[in-house]
Amino acid sequence: MTLFDGITQRVIETPRLDVSILEREGDSDATPADRTVVLIHGNVSSALFWQELMQDLPTDLRVVAIDLRGYGGTEHAPIDATRGVRDFSDDVHGALEALGIRSAHLVGWSMGGGVVMQYALDHGALSLTLESPISPYGVGPTRRDGSRLTEDDAGCGGGAGNPDFIQRLIDHDTSDEAPTSPRNVFRSSYVAPGFTTENEDVWVESMLTTSTATGNYPGDSTHSDSWPGFAPGTIGVLNTMAPKHFDVSGVVDLADKPPVLWIHGELDPIVSDSSLYEFNNLGKLGIVPGWPGDEVAPPQPMVTQMRDVLARYSDAGGEVTELKLEGVGHTPHLERPAEFRHALLTVIGYVGPSIHPAPPTEAIIIRSAD
């Protein structure tokens, strides 16, 4: 595990499982909740991805990054996908309880965005920062309003994992010899074209911590009579996000609505209205044969679904800010760290000696509630 200067790692015991966390040297356990930030990573990654941000946040905050089960240094326990992402969310809650953190500002990236929305539903939060989050209706065949296209959610879940990519995770492949190598997946899907980073080896190392044991990534699948012939199973990562198991649109009805920052890149190929990881869109593009057409299998409008739900959240009295970053892919916190940092500090209401003026940005502020 490659740790940056000032970042420490430890494993804590919880009643559910042993959880690995990253912290900063010098952060105090006595830091109040309103200055505590908890970072939750996405799929095929780990807490290592947060280290640059952790280094850059003000020193009078307490910052904790948690490895979800099956990632990083956390125990590789099986995941009950019929609970949606609640296994992940409950693990996070157990870890925070063990740390004495009763409430905090939550930041979730990609799948982690779904986890923190679930956490807010079950346990509450002081604020939610959703970075390139999955749709509130999960990752799978749904219409704009979240209604499901088939009874079994054909075309998503564990069967959607690329076998060659999975094998390269198993083989701990660090090369760039194939499009499906983790390194090339990082370059083509995690960041926008042309983005480079001196820490790429660390991010690839983080990806390779993904457990491919039974019950972890990607998960099982079942036969479907609907195109493309498979449907979600009941265990494993990708099945947790299937619409039959996952729906966090109920955040709209929270009595206590934390302020929400939604920050995402316009070039994100993973979470998009035309995602390159969504089978209906792949069928429409001719990449997967036999697509039955838009009437039967339209691509999932992931970004539009998120915008619609957050608009309802705002209409119901919640504070929402959307930042869409031009020229940015799936990882704004890596690609545009200054803008990400400033937006995060703003939504948590931080006032202190370490905050800087807003940096020059091409961000588009779509909505900010009165």
Side-chain angles (χ1 to χ4, degrees), residues 28-62:
S28 171
D29 293 350
T31 303
D34 64 356
R35 293 211 169 193
T36 300
V37 178
V38 177
L39 308 170
I40 305 299
H41 65 82
N43 190 19
V44 192
S45 65
S46 74
L48 292 177
F49 264 89
W50 293 117
Q51 292 186 95
E52 290 179 343
L53 176 65
M54 295 175 73
Q55 289 180 317
D56 198 35
L57 287 173
T59 57
D60 55 344
L61 297 177
R62 183 184 185 186

Side-chain angles (χ1 to χ4, degrees), residues 139-222:
V139 178
T142 50
R143 301 174 184 88
R144 178 172 176 172
D145 64 0
S147 57
R148 294 159 55 207
L149 298 180
T150 63
E151 292 185 1
D152 60 359
D153 291 346
C156 71
N162 183 296
D164 193 64
F165 175 67
I166 295 165
Q167 187 60 52
R168 290 176 184 276
L169 290 176
I170 294 170
D171 294 341
H172 209 79
D173 178 15
T174 61
S175 75
D176 59 0
E177 66 182 25
T180 51
S181 73
R183 187 176 299 276
N184 280 333
V185 169
F186 171 81
R187 292 173 180 174
S188 65
S189 297
Y190 284 38
V191 295
F195 177 81
T196 59
T197 167
E198 63 182 9
N199 292 316
E200 182 177 274
D201 287 347
V202 180
W203 312 146
V204 173
E205 176 184 346
S206 175
M207 295 170 71
L208 292 172
T209 68
T210 302
S211 173
T212 55
T214 300
N216 293 119
Y217 182 83
D220 62 345
S221 65
T222 61

